[in-house]
Amino acid sequence: MAAPRPPPPGALGGGVGGSGGVAPAAGAPAGVSMRMFHGEVYLGEMEVFPMKQGGEGGLPFPSNEIRVSHLSPASERCPPLAILQTIAPFSVRCKLHTKLTPPNPSLQRLYLTCFNEFKSAVVVVGDEELHLVAMPTKSGKMPCFWCCSARSGLYAASVGMLNLRCLAIVFDLDETLIVANTMKSFEDRIEMLSRRMDVEDDPIRITGMSAEIKRYIEDKELLKEFIDTDTVTDNGKIVGTQKEEVQPMSGGQERVLRPVIRLPDRNAILTRINPENRDTSVFVKLRPAWEELRSYLTAKGRKRFEVYVCTMAERDYALEMWRLLDPEGNLISPQQLSERVNCVKSGSRKSLQNVFRDRGCHPKMAMVIDDRLNVWDDKDQHRVHVVPAYTPYYAPQAEMANAVPVLCVARNVACNVRGGFFREFDENLLRKVFELYYENGLLDLPYAPDVGDYLVCEDTNFVPGNKDQAPIPEGMRGNEVEKRLNGQSYRWEQREGQQMSFSTRSPDDEGMPIRGTGGVRTIQPNGGSLAITPSVYVTVLQEIGQLCDSKVEFRSTVSNGKSMLFSVEVLFSNEKIGIGIGKTRDEAQVQAAEKALQNLESSYLSSVSLVAGVPKKESRKPPGSGNGFLEDAPCSDNDISMREPSGSTLKLDDSNSMDKLSSIMSLIREHCLEDQHVVFRDQVQNSSPARNEEYHFQVELAGLILGRGVGSDREAAKLLAAEEALKTLKSTTDPQIKKYLRPVRCNG
């Protein structure tokens, strides 16, 4: 529960006048007197104290004066200190308070504006911004500030993202979202496979290579027809080009009309990078489920993620590939393209610091979707979600062989990352920031969330075994794009001796392992599917959530003990249904998902037996047995004393109670701000003969109890708790609850 925000100086008894100031702590560094200005307006003398003993590093203000240039943008829900702790952790450089009592009226107005409107006073020093954050004081008698430093421009960009509960997501292109080929790359791949077939003895591999060559030839013929006639014949139907207007190419001024043919049934597009040069024609395959991922990113007319692209491809090619993926510019507007599409030289490493060179986001607020991990800087790798390389020619059925398509898994991962990040931000960071005073120290600042905390990173690179020949990449990568589009020759043999990443498959007698969130599936060269490992429980659970229109969340923590074990909870429609513990987050998540599936199965069989009229042994459990899915710790005596009168203990028809509960929960969510999680908690009671047939539930919003219910079955108890919660939301005057609710709009 968030503590009440301390009042600003002047709001307590004694006002801002009187004598005395904020007494420095014993042993604190000595203060330095400086003059403070807002523009050219003199605000008075300030006493400045470095945060570290001895003033290590010096005070940040040049010429020993504090000159505020402007105020930061107002924040709707996040105090400036919470934003700064997120984008520049523990960056408090010094503290300052007025020497005058009473303070200069202009200084008092500046302070109150910053305190009440969630703004900071900004001092610009070179490429750095010093943010003066208005702090409450235990004495309540004078304006005082903490001074935090941040990179110029980063704070203004982060305010909007944190208020909107928005993170950043960075996409790779080739073999992550698309596979693209020119005539030359098609011919080289067909030639390479033909040579390998000539020396291959294994009939299974020969069959797989033959099928792969046929798929290459089919698409190559379509591309040749497009180059020669600006049409293609697809299933006997002639399809002509559409002229699509695009942004000028690099160095150009005029807009470009590009010939494009879209073949949605094939999930393919034919385009021409330079409309004046037919040799720059490209056949592009889009990865399945891209539309589902794209729709999630911009659902309900608001962005959940700010989107960026980081690729090793040539720039004009990269811009056109992204345009095909986002034709309406919903993810990246045309005005943002030049800043959001980042092209890295082949052989260099990708870096989030370079991606956000415009300072539009902090790396710790960003996740990456890429098919290779080792192309990223070491410091960014824990924020990369590695997907299996897209292989539509080698294993065309691999994408759909999984219970959940690869990009749907990526969507679910992004959803869980965003939920975990802002849950930590709201329930830990915000709450503790509101409890801080001017007199607190640097070590009292709370931990700030990092996207990497909620992302299980998996490196899918491997070196092929001695018996295996490394097969060819399926699409163009890096500097090959420029060579192809410029008509230069390029021999793939140059790359055969290099260590191949997972994106270049290595088939063996048992097929190819494809790794990713949700498990390891073995794919045969002809596209068939073999074994599944237990970690597929995660993706199956997420698929069940989609089918039931229910949200599946994974919450992870690390124990405080020496064992450093990870613990992961599974929430299904905000109800805890599984928990797992392991040495890694991945191990704990798989265990939690497996137990959750078992509990869902038990619950389903139980409900089926009740509907069929067949009694099930132990279908009713005494108090202490949990919520029917998972045991929780017993609640306190205070919780027991909050029981409803005996008239509130009831049992309802399953279908009616479920329908009514669903309706009430919809009403509750309409009252709450988006992304605020309403959770049912099972309150396990001490066993007693009188309560053997009772279930106890309470509804919580950000840790605040809204309602409790007691019933003879689980659904009845949840329904009563939900009804009381809805009444609470409609009538509450508690500011701690109201800050999580949507503002009430007055008509007229």
Side-chain angles (χ1 to χ4, degrees):
M1 182 184 300
R5 180 174 171 84
L12 301 176
V16 297
S19 61
V22 179
V32 177
S33 180
M34 292 188 187
R35 296 193 303 165
M36 183 171 177
F37 297 84
H38 187 183
E40 299 301 323
V41 178
Y42 177 64
L43 301 180
E45 291 284 328
M46 302 296 289
E47 193 82 13
V48 184
F49 300 88
M51 287 299 287
K52 297 181 180 179
Q53 184 72 32
E56 297 174 20
L59 294 172
F61 305 108
S63 304
N64 277 346
E65 71 173 24
I66 305 163
R67 192 170 292 272
V68 175
S69 65
H70 63 279
L71 299 186
S72 71
S75 172
E76 296 176 6
R77 59 168 92 174
C78 307
L81 188 58
I83 297 170
L84 289 160
Q85 179 65 359
T86 301
I87 64 174
F90 304 99
S91 64
V92 184
R93 302 281 294 278
C94 60
K95 298 180 179 183
L96 54 153
H97 65 74
T98 181
K99 294 182 68 176
L100 301 177
T101 51
N104 184 309
S106 297
L107 175 62
Q108 182 71 8
R109 283 194 298 271
L110 174 71
Y111 172 84
L112 290 175
T113 297
C114 291
F115 190 92
N116 293 324
E117 298 180 18
F118 282 172
K119 296 181 179 180
S120 65
V122 183
V123 178
V124 178
V125 181
D127 198 34
E128 183 182 42
E129 290 178 347
L130 301 175
H131 290 261
L132 306 184
V133 179
M135 297 293 292
T137 131
K138 294 179 180 178
S139 67
K141 291 184 179 181
M142 64 174 55
C144 17
F145 302 85
W146 280 13
C147 172
C148 305
S149 62
R151 293 176 65 201
S152 179
L154 184 57
Y155 182 94
S158 303
V159 169
M161 292 181 66
L162 292 173
N163 278 320
L164 293 174
R165 296 302 187 258
C166 181
L167 296 175
I169 190 166
V170 182
F171 288 108
D172 173 50
L173 292 176
D174 294 302
E175 297 194 16
T176 296
L177 300 181
I178 58 139
V179 163
N181 281 287
T182 62
M183 284 294 292
K184 189 67 172 71
S185 66
F186 271 139
E187 291 166 357
D188 283 354
R189 284 160 174 76
I190 293 169
E191 179 187 352
M192 177 67 69
L193 282 168
S194 299
R195 288 206 309 269
R196 290 193 176 179
M197 282 181 63
D198 292 342
V199 297
E200 183 57 65
D201 297 327
D202 190 326
I204 295 178
R205 290 185 182 176
I206 292 173
T207 301
M209 290 180 186
S210 176
E212 189 174 357
I213 288 176
K214 288 180 181 178
R215 288 187 280 270
Y216 275 121
I217 291 174
E218 182 179 355
D219 286 351
K220 172 177 167 286
E221 292 304 316
L222 289 173
L223 180 59
K224 185 177 188 304
E225 187 178 1
F226 172 68
I227 292 172
D228 294 340
T229 67
D230 280 346
T231 63
V232 297
T233 304
D234 184 28
N235 293 324
K237 181 181 177 181
I238 297 178
V239 183
T241 59
Q242 298 291 325
K243 299 293 185 181
E244 297 185 0
E245 186 175 354
V246 300
Q247 294 289 325
M249 295 175 59
S250 298
Q253 299 297 325
E254 297 180 359
R255 288 185 175 272
V256 176
L257 288 176
R258 187 168 280 149
V260 174
I261 295 178
R262 297 177 183 269
L263 304 175
D265 292 342
R266 292 177 177 267
N267 221 27
I269 303 175
L270 295 98
T271 186
R272 193 165 296 143
I273 305 301
N274 182 353
E276 305 301 321
N277 184 354
R278 290 180 178 269
D279 289 338
T280 64
S281 299
V282 182
F283 188 98
V284 185
K285 279 186 173 290
L286 307 184
R287 192 163 203 161
W290 164 247
E291 287 300 320
E292 286 83 346
L293 175 55
R294 185 176 70 168
S295 298
Y296 164 75
L297 296 174
T298 58
K300 299 181 181 179
R302 58 181 287 268
K303 285 190 176 181
R304 291 185 166 105
F305 286 85
E306 291 289 346
V307 178
Y308 293 77
V309 174
C310 187
T311 176
M312 291 182 176
E314 186 266 343
R315 186 162 186 77
D316 287 332
Y317 165 86
L319 290 171
E320 174 62 1
M321 295 304 104
W322 181 255
R323 189 188 70 83
L324 299 179
L325 290 163
D326 183 30
E328 297 175 355
N330 292 328
L331 299 182
I332 303 178
S333 70
Q335 296 75 24
Q336 295 175 315
L337 270 177
S338 61
E339 298 175 348
R340 296 289 183 93
V341 177
N342 185 261
C343 295
V344 179
K345 289 183 179 180
S346 182
S348 302
R349 299 190 88 182
K350 299 179 180 180
S351 163
L352 287 175
Q353 198 70 47
N354 291 333
V355 171
F356 303 130
R357 60 191 182 278
D358 64 342
R359 299 172 188 181
C361 180
H362 192 281
K364 69 189 300 182
M365 293 172 60
M367 67 175 290
V368 177
I369 307 291
D370 202 326
D371 66 300
R372 295 186 293 175
L373 182 65
N374 60 2
V375 296
W376 285 91
D377 275 353
D378 293 342
K379 64 178 180 294
D380 293 326
Q381 290 188 3
H382 68 295
R383 302 182 182 116
V384 180
H385 171 62
V386 182
V387 297
Y390 180 33
T391 56
Y393 296 101
Y394 175 77
Q397 303 304 317
E399 290 292 309
M400 307 314 294
N402 289 307
V404 183
V406 169
L407 292 187
C408 285
V409 173
R411 176 199 61 193
N412 296 342
V413 169
C415 181
N416 285 333
V417 165
R418 179 170 171 265
F421 183 96
F422 284 110
R423 189 178 303 110
E424 175 73 17
F425 185 87
D426 289 338
E427 297 179 7
N428 179 52
L429 181 66
L430 279 185
R431 179 177 63 82
K432 291 182 178 178
V433 162
F434 277 123
E435 295 172 353
L436 292 175
Y437 287 87
Y438 174 81
E439 290 81 2
N440 283 101
L442 193 64
L443 296 180
D444 296 321
L445 284 166
Y447 171 77
D450 186 315
V451 158
D453 297 339
Y454 312 100
L455 194 62
V456 177
C457 187
E458 184 174 0
D459 186 354
T460 57
N461 293 329
F462 72 98
V463 180
N466 294 332
K467 295 187 299 180
D468 299 325
Q469 280 190 313
I472 58 177
E474 300 219 339
M476 299 181 294
R477 274 192 181 275
N479 61 356
E480 185 198 359
V481 173
E482 187 171 6
K483 292 175 182 289
R484 299 293 188 193
L485 297 181
N486 290 336
Q488 300 176 25
S489 63
Y490 192 82
R491 303 303 298 170
W492 281 100
E493 290 87 342
Q494 295 173 348
R495 304 181 66 175
E496 279 194 83
Q498 298 177 6
Q499 176 176 320
M500 306 298 287
S501 71
F502 182 80
S503 60
T504 58
R505 301 126 9 249
S506 179
D508 54 25
D509 292 340
E510 298 179 354
M512 176 191 71
I514 290 187
R515 300 176 185 269
T517 302
V520 178
R521 187 175 286 273
T522 304
I523 305 298
Q524 294 177 335
N526 62 1
S529 175
L530 296 176
I532 306 174
T533 69
S535 56
V536 81
Y537 294 132
V538 176
T539 51
V540 171
L541 185 62
Q542 291 167 331
E543 179 70 6
I544 291 173
Q546 292 180 48
L547 295 174
C548 299
D549 196 23
S550 299
K551 188 173 183 180
V552 177
E553 293 181 85
F554 291 89
R555 294 183 179 179
S556 62
T557 59
V558 181
S559 67
N560 294 325
K562 295 181 179 179
S563 61
M564 290 298 290
L565 293 176
F566 288 85
S567 174
V568 173
E569 295 179 349
V570 181
L571 297 184
F572 191 87
S573 290
N574 295 322
E575 185 174 343
K576 186 163 65 177
I577 63 170
I579 189 168
I581 297 174
K583 294 181 180 179
T584 66
R585 227 184 237 107
D586 199 13
E587 181 183 335
Q589 184 185 42
V590 170
Q591 187 183 115
E594 180 180 2
K595 291 182 179 178
L597 286 171
Q598 293 170 351
N599 289 325
L600 283 175
E601 179 187 19
S602 300
S603 176
Y604 172 76
L605 293 175
S606 176
S607 64
V608 168
S609 65
L610 288 173
V611 172
V614 179
K616 181 175 173 65
K617 289 184 180 181
E618 299 182 63
S619 61
R620 292 184 183 174
K621 298 181 180 180
S625 62
N627 59 9
F629 290 122
L630 186 71
E631 282 197 20
D632 282 333
C635 68
S636 65
D637 293 338
N638 291 335
D639 291 331
I640 297 174
S641 67
M642 292 295 290
R643 284 186 55 199
E644 293 285 338
S646 58
S648 67
T649 302
L650 51 85
K651 177 173 173 53
L652 299 177
D653 174 74
D654 284 342
S655 59
N656 291 339
S657 63
M658 287 295 289
D659 291 343
K660 189 173 181 182
L661 178 61
S662 178
S663 299
I664 292 175
M665 289 305 297
S666 296
L667 291 173
I668 289 175
R669 292 188 182 99
E670 287 178 7
H671 279 76
C672 300
L673 290 168
E674 188 173 348
D675 301 326
Q676 293 303 327
H677 301 283
V678 180
V679 181
F680 278 104
R681 296 289 186 199
D682 182 4
Q683 295 301 292
V684 184
Q685 305 295 311
N686 296 327
S687 299
S688 71
R691 293 177 181 160
N692 279 345
E693 301 298 323
E694 292 180 357
Y695 289 84
H696 298 247
F697 276 90
Q698 68 185 31
V699 177
E700 296 180 6
L701 172 63
L704 302 169
I705 299 174
L706 302 180
R708 291 187 172 93
V710 181
S712 56
D713 63 26
R714 298 174 64 256
E715 301 309 326
K718 290 170 73 172
L719 178 58
L720 286 169
E723 288 175 338
E724 183 179 320
L726 183 59
K727 291 177 184 177
T728 300
L729 292 179
K730 289 180 176 180
S731 61
T732 186
T733 58
D734 186 343
Q736 295 305 312
I737 295 178
K738 292 182 73 173
K739 70 181 181 182
Y740 296 109
L741 306 184
R742 298 181 188 272
V744 178
R745 297 182 179 178
C746 301
N747 296 325

